Amino acid sequence: MLERAQREKDESDAAYFDALMYAGEMAVKLVGAGLVAAIQDDREKHRYRLEYQLVRASSLGAWADAIDDVLTGPSSQFLDSNAYPTQRELTQRMPADSWQASSLRHISESLRCVNILDWESPTNNQGRDWFRGFVRLRNATRGHGAPSTTAQGNACLPLERSIATVISNLSLFFRPWVYLHRNISGKYRVTVWNDADDTLESLKRENSYSFANGVYISLGEPRRVNLIESDAEGSDYWFANGGFGNNKYEMLSYLTNDRLLMPSDAYMLPVDQLPPSETQGIGQLDTKGNTFTNLPEPATKYVPRPQLESELSRQLADPSRHFIVTLTGRGGIGKTSTALQVITSLVESDECPYAIVVWFSARDIDLLESGPKVVQPHGVTIEDFAKEYARLLNPGEMHIKGFDSKGYLARQLAGEDAIGPTLFVFDNFETTISPQEVFTWLDTYVRGPNKVLITSRERRFTGDYALQVPGMTLSEAEELIAWTSDSLGITEKIAGKYTETIIEESDGHPYIIKLMLGEVARSTTTRPERIMAGQGEALVALFERSYNRLTPVAQRVFLTLCSWRSSIPALALEAVLLRPENERMNVREAIDELVQSSFIEEDSDDTTGEAEVSVPLSARIFGLRKLEVSVWKSSIEADASMLHLLGAQNRGPTVELGQRIQRLFNNVADALSRGRRDFSEIRPVLEFITSRYPFGSVLLADLVAELGLGDPQEESYLLHYVEHPESHKKPVGPVWKRIADIRRDRGDVNGEIHALSQICRLDTTPTNVLSNTANRINSILNEISPTRDEKQSMLKDVVAGFQLRASRENELDATDLSRLAWLQVHLGDIPSALATVQRGLDLEPYNTHCRRLAERLKAHH
């Protein structure tokens, strides 16, 4: 921007002055955006409050206000300690020879040059006053004034010096600023903005981090700068510029005057104090049975879930084992309501093992029947929970100066100075700040007989015992539908099979069931897809936060699954996504991540061990909304067209994997014959499938033969199948016969004999096939002259197969025995050949083959 100002200087003083003003505005917004990014997460959401104000700001003064708020206002207590040097630079009184004092003198001089005499350089030389001074200059000139060209020219030099002094000295500009773009591989493209150290270079080499694409400043760790946008090329830089509406807000580039319109969804939540969650603790310890607890009241309309309740009750009733129990499942699936029901029943019984049950709520959205409502989380950090715990128990030491509530909670978890066994419940654990850090802290300190119960949408917090909350059983769902439809007055409207449809399409998800019934009551539509498509707010509440936490490859896999409404073999999904056209990705890890985050369901085929994955309707509708605006849309459409070749998997009994792969090859053959596909494009997909499902190699060989692509390719696929005996679900003998025929056609005699001998060694080879195979081998040996050692190697398996059957009575006839005798002749074992021929003659005295061979052997002998 300063280089631009120098170019404008040659044009006119007015242009020079305007360019410097734009540079100053950029400097104010850079500092404001960077400091706001340095605010750590807290339950009052101070960072969000400032961003909420700045995306709506119509004046630069709002940015100066935000800077003051971060430096000395309510947000300052949550400032990252790595930003303390910048805070001190801008808030401490500085000497007259400091850069802060110099920048203030220059901005004061600029103001006087344009006849603004009501602003004097503050004598305390606090750096933050510079932002107020610049805002005053901006508003008195570009905003609400009309200074002469001469006045503007006079103000340029001190203004340039003032801006240059700030940006050359403020430590915030010497922290690493970068744009991070995460590749599908999980590694990052790091576009560096300044010459700071390379603390973020490790992101280029490792894939264990999870940061969304965007602008970051390094403060110990990368912190997202939400008020600035750029791209991986660093081609331009856009700053929040107001213009906030129902759908968009504006971002402005001071370099090019280009504008970006950003979706305003992220800043629609109000910043006022929100109401508490309906499942927040009651605020004090009360007695239930013999237990002190702050449990909220359980839901009045609750459908019992006997099996789930019984298992959770069994785990909680025994404090001697499994110190951390996790209750996981999709949002709205019933984790909290079930936990409350079970714990309430436990504390009201005479057998409750706990003296205290403490309920901590991190919930920030209540899923009400009328729709999701944003609420104030009661705690989101260990510090929040510790303060609440200390407030509830009110220990004497709490009133001593320097009381450490976090240390107090740690001692209580470990059982030190505890009143008695305690159950600590952390509801909606995934909404805590740094949940993995909180989980590790709890796991470090908790000791029996204390116990921790965690409810979470994410399964990665498995604890000592993990209990998954599935959809409701058929009877449970029917009971929920019955009383919900009765209360809505729509019992007749959903009679008959529609009840079954609701249960199937919702996968027994209680909150989805309630939403669907509510929509049926309000409208005429009854199609589940249309009902869920109209529940945008609910879908965001259920999935948005978890989706944003997914790695790029998990998002990519999820959107691909959403593009095809059918269960899909994980094998086929991997094959399609690992096509050469796509960036390399670990699909298996992505599937595991999606399962852990409750986005998809996975079932294993007991016969093959291969998994089948599917997306519940609600998650799929959410995914389709994301797919519409995804940068991967065209690639996903190409992947989906491949998956369509599998054919749809309808609800009901799952089609065996082999049948689906057979269907895939049939559809591929049809598409190739009609010219709708290119084999070179689809071949890598099919080869990947055969690597995990070897019988697919036989199907691929069939396809290659049908296309006339050459014997070597057909043979290599057939060999791949026979090389994997553990997967031989189909007879392997016919495959060896095809290999033998291929080798015969190209004149590979030794290769043909090898393939034929493999047929003979199989116990499953029918006797007539064994006999005919031996006859072919004998014919070949009559035409060639291999050495004795070569014959021994070629024929040992064939003879062994014959001798096995010869040892069983009545399995070989005289002709079969004549062929065995010829094999023995080729091996030079004349005595055995004579004995075999005689055995044949004993069975059939007039068998021509045996008589001729007997005469020949006797003459030779």
Side-chain angles (χ1 to χ4, degrees):
M1 287 299 294
L2 292 179
E3 289 174 359
R4 171 183 170 182
Q6 289 300 316
R7 292 194 298 271
E8 300 288 355
K9 183 178 182 180
D10 296 333
E11 181 178 331
S12 68
D13 288 343
Y16 183 27
F17 180 80
D18 283 344
L20 289 172
M21 292 301 294
Y22 290 133
E25 287 186 31
M26 177 188 274
V28 172
K29 290 187 176 181
L30 269 170
V31 174
L35 287 175
V36 169
I39 299 297
Q40 301 181 88
D41 292 319
D42 68 286
R43 72 187 191 95
E44 282 84 18
K45 299 184 178 179
H46 284 283
R47 186 177 67 247
Y48 173 79
R49 173 177 58 82
L50 292 173
E51 291 175 349
Y52 177 96
Q53 294 167 355
L54 292 175
V55 295
R56 290 168 168 79
S58 58
S59 69
L60 193 63
W63 290 81
D65 293 339
I67 291 171
D68 278 343
D69 193 318
V70 174
L71 296 175
T72 61
S75 304
S76 61
Q77 60 183 314
F78 300 104
L79 187 65
D80 190 299
S81 60
N82 289 281
Y84 286 171
T86 299
Q87 183 186 39
R88 288 192 294 269
E89 291 169 350
L90 296 176
T91 57
Q92 289 182 354
R93 292 174 176 266
M94 294 297 178
D97 60 349
S98 65
W99 68 262
Q100 291 90 339
S102 176
S103 67
L104 289 169
R105 286 195 298 271
H106 291 313
I107 200 70
S108 295
E109 184 179 349
S110 297
L111 284 161
R112 287 193 296 271
C113 289
V114 294
N115 202 32
I116 306 301
L117 306 177
D118 60 353
W119 198 90
E120 290 293 334
S121 176
T123 57
N124 57 16
N125 295 327
Q126 287 183 299
R128 64 183 178 139
D129 290 327
W130 181 87
F131 302 97
R132 292 289 178 194
F134 181 83
V135 169
R136 181 75 180 93
L137 177 63
R138 192 262 184 200
N139 290 342
T141 54
R142 290 189 59 236
H144 307 288
S148 66
T149 302
T150 301
Q152 289 178 327
N154 293 335
C156 285
L157 183 58
L159 176 57
E160 183 175 13
R161 288 174 177 172
S162 179
I163 296 170
T165 299
V166 172
I167 65 176
S168 298
N169 291 280
L170 187 63
S171 60
L172 190 71
F173 293 136
F174 294 91
R175 310 273 335 167
W177 288 67
V178 299
Y179 185 90
L180 297 181
H181 175 82
R182 192 175 195 186
N183 302 316
I184 292 292
S185 66
K187 298 176 183 178
Y188 287 84
R189 179 177 176 181
V190 182
T191 305
V192 179
W193 281 15
N194 56 1
D195 296 327
D197 59 72
D198 59 353
T199 55
L200 300 179
E201 288 294 303
S202 62
L203 296 174
K204 296 180 179 179
R205 301 183 296 273
E206 301 180 17
N207 59 4
S208 57
Y209 301 97
S210 182
F211 301 109
N213 294 349
V215 178
Y216 286 81
I217 180 174
S218 179
L219 294 166
E221 62 179 16
R223 300 190 68 89
R224 178 75 181 272
V225 185
N226 290 318
L227 298 171
I228 305 176
E229 284 294 329
S230 184
D231 53 38
E233 289 72 35
S235 62
D236 210 341
Y237 312 85
W238 294 269
F239 296 78
N241 197 50
F244 193 93
N246 290 332
N247 299 312
K248 306 287 183 182
Y249 65 91
E250 183 180 277
M251 301 194 86
L252 172 69
S253 167
Y254 289 98
L255 285 171
T256 62
N257 198 38
D258 285 345
R259 284 166 168 77
L260 285 181
L261 293 178
M262 303 296 292
S264 57
D265 303 18
Y267 297 107
M268 296 301 289
L269 296 178
V271 294
D272 302 326
Q273 184 68 27
L274 296 168
S277 167
E278 61 178 8
T279 60
Q280 183 174 307
I282 61 175
Q284 61 185 21
L285 290 180
D286 202 354
T287 56
K288 284 192 177 184
N290 298 317
T291 303
F292 291 100
T293 181
N294 68 330
L295 276 177
E297 290 298 320
T300 55
K301 294 181 179 180
Y302 176 77
V303 174
R305 306 178 73 172
Q307 185 175 353
L308 177 61
E309 292 172 25
S310 175
E311 179 61 18
L312 179 59
S313 181
R314 186 173 67 85
Q315 291 301 323
L316 298 183
D318 182 5
S320 65
R321 56 199 295 266
H322 299 151
F323 300 143
I324 297 183
V325 176
T326 52
L327 194 64
T328 59
R330 286 176 279 159
I333 202 73
K335 303 180 294 295
T336 300
S337 57
T338 302
L340 274 175
Q341 195 73 24
V342 169
I343 297 171
T344 299
S345 298
L346 182 64
V347 298
E348 290 178 346
S349 71
D350 295 331
E351 300 177 355
C352 181
Y354 303 106
I356 302 175
V357 174
V358 181
W359 181 275
F360 298 112
S361 176
R363 176 177 288 202
D364 58 359
I365 296 177
D366 277 347
L367 299 177
L368 306 179
E369 292 181 32
S370 57
K373 301 297 180 185
V374 180
V375 296
Q376 180 74 27
H378 197 53
V380 291
T381 64
I382 283 293
E383 289 74 15
D384 292 339
F385 300 137
K387 289 176 183 177
E388 174 65 5
Y389 182 76
R391 188 190 67 78
L392 289 170
L393 270 70
N394 194 27
E397 61 188 281
M398 180 180 175
H399 306 288
I400 301 174
K401 186 177 180 180
F403 171 70
D404 179 10
S405 59
K406 186 176 179 181
Y408 176 69
L409 177 57
R411 293 193 300 274
Q412 295 288 302
L413 279 164
E416 301 175 17
D417 304 322
I419 297 174
T422 303
L423 173 63
F424 299 87
V425 185
F426 295 85
D427 187 39
N428 278 71
F429 192 77
E430 75 281 353
T431 61
T432 59
I433 296 167
S434 302
Q436 185 61 58
E437 181 181 335
V438 176
F439 181 86
T440 302
W441 191 89
L442 293 171
D443 188 40
T444 300
Y445 288 105
V446 67
R447 299 288 186 277
N450 296 330
K451 190 183 285 281
V452 170
L453 172 65
I454 286 172
T455 73
S456 175
R457 297 184 185 185
E458 299 181 7
R459 302 183 197 178
R460 52 184 171 151
F461 311 111
T462 55
D464 303 304
Y465 188 87
L467 185 58
Q468 175 68 16
V469 182
M472 286 181 154
T473 64
L474 178 61
S475 61
E476 292 165 358
E478 287 176 340
E479 183 177 348
L480 175 63
I481 291 172
W483 67 252
T484 303
S485 58
D486 182 62
S487 66
L488 295 172
I490 58 170
T491 302
E492 294 183 2
K493 195 172 182 179
I494 65 164
K497 290 189 176 181
Y498 190 64
T499 294
E500 298 177 13
T501 301
I502 290 177
I503 296 173
E504 287 180 357
E505 295 295 352
S506 67
D507 291 308
H509 191 298
Y511 185 61
I512 298 298
I513 289 174
K514 293 177 184 179
L515 287 177
M516 293 175 75
L517 292 174
E519 187 62 27
V520 169
R522 289 189 295 271
S523 67
T524 58
T525 183
T526 57
R527 288 185 58 188
E529 294 89 344
R530 289 190 177 181
I531 290 174
M532 290 312 304
Q535 299 294 325
E537 187 179 1
L539 294 174
V540 169
L542 289 173
F543 301 109
E544 185 73 28
R545 181 192 295 111
S546 298
Y547 178 81
N548 290 334
R549 288 181 177 177
L550 294 175
T551 59
V553 64
Q555 291 180 351
R556 175 76 163 78
V557 171
F558 173 65
L559 296 182
T560 302
L561 286 168
C562 290
S563 68
W564 178 232
R565 195 189 170 188
S566 172
S567 63
I568 298 172
L571 168 62
L573 182 66
E574 288 186 70
V576 167
L577 290 174
L578 293 176
R579 293 183 301 132
E581 293 84 353
N582 289 332
E583 188 177 345
R584 295 294 296 176
M585 62 185 91
N586 192 322
V587 180
R588 183 63 255 178
E589 281 187 5
I591 291 173
D592 291 341
E593 183 181 352
L594 289 168
V595 171
Q596 290 175 358
S597 300
S598 302
F599 273 96
I600 67 173
E601 296 174 351
E602 181 179 30
D603 295 307
S604 293
D605 186 320
D606 294 335
T607 58
T608 65
E610 288 291 342
E612 189 96 2
V613 292
S614 59
V615 185
L617 175 63
S618 55
R620 179 174 174 268
I621 299 298
F622 170 82
L624 289 175
R625 292 160 66 99
K626 290 292 183 183
L627 181 58
E628 282 303 308
V629 295
S630 173
V631 296
W632 300 313
K633 184 177 180 182
S634 58
S635 298
I636 288 173
E637 287 175 347
D639 294 337
S641 68
M642 291 281 189
L643 292 173
H644 291 178
L645 295 171
L646 281 168
Q649 168 62 54
N650 298 321
R651 291 187 178 273
T654 301
V655 176
E656 194 264 334
L657 179 62
Q659 292 178 265
R660 299 198 71 183
I661 291 177
Q662 178 73 65
R663 181 193 300 165
L664 169 65
F665 277 89
N666 291 343
N667 290 339
V668 167
D670 181 66
L672 292 173
S673 67
R674 296 172 184 270
R676 295 200 303 259
R677 289 282 181 183
D678 182 84
F679 185 62
S680 62
E681 170 196 15
I682 204 167
R683 175 185 233 148
V685 175
L686 302 179
E687 288 180 340
F688 183 89
I689 289 174
T690 63
S691 71
R692 292 260 293 277
Y693 189 77
F695 186 69
S697 299
V698 179
L699 302 176
L700 186 51
D702 292 342
L703 187 61
V704 166
E706 183 178 330
L707 296 173
L709 297 180
D711 293 341
Q713 293 175 330
E714 180 184 355
E715 180 185 358
S716 67
Y717 292 135
L718 294 171
L719 285 171
H720 180 262
Y721 177 65
V722 299
E723 288 167 359
H724 292 79
E726 74 283 353
S727 63
H728 292 166
K729 308 299 182 186
K730 306 282 186 180
V732 73
V735 178
W736 275 117
K737 180 61 168 62
R738 284 182 62 179
I739 295 172
D741 291 344
I742 291 171
R743 291 174 175 175
R744 179 184 61 192
D745 290 345
R746 70 164 181 259
D748 181 1
V749 174
N750 290 340
E752 182 187 357
I753 292 178
H754 170 264
L756 294 172
S757 68
Q758 298 303 309
I759 298 173
C760 296
R761 69 184 298 197
L762 297 171
D763 291 340
T764 56
T765 300
T767 300
N768 66 309
V769 174
L770 177 71
S771 182
N772 292 336
T773 301
N775 190 45
R776 170 60 187 162
I777 292 174
N778 285 324
S779 298
I780 296 173
L781 293 176
N782 288 333
E783 297 173 4
I784 64 175
S785 301
T787 66
R788 180 182 179 86
D789 289 342
E790 289 174 336
K791 287 182 179 180
Q792 184 71 34
S793 175
M794 291 175 181
L795 302 181
K796 62 180 180 179
D797 290 330
V798 183
V799 172
F802 259 105
Q803 288 175 337
L804 175 64
R805 287 161 175 77
S807 66
R808 298 195 285 259
E809 188 175 354
N810 299 326
E811 186 158 342
L812 299 180
D813 61 19
T815 300
D816 298 333
L817 291 168
S818 73
R819 290 168 177 174
L820 171 59
W822 269 112
L823 292 174
Q824 293 167 333
V825 169
H826 286 301
L827 287 173
D829 188 0
I830 303 302
S832 294
L834 282 168
T836 300
V837 167
Q838 186 58 51
R839 183 176 173 183
L841 290 172
D842 292 341
L843 289 174
E844 296 182 35
Y846 298 102
N847 182 277
T848 303
H849 303 294
C850 288
R851 292 181 66 178
R852 288 177 180 173
L853 182 55
E855 293 172 0
R856 180 171 179 173
L857 290 174
K858 288 176 182 178
H860 177 76
H861 189 66

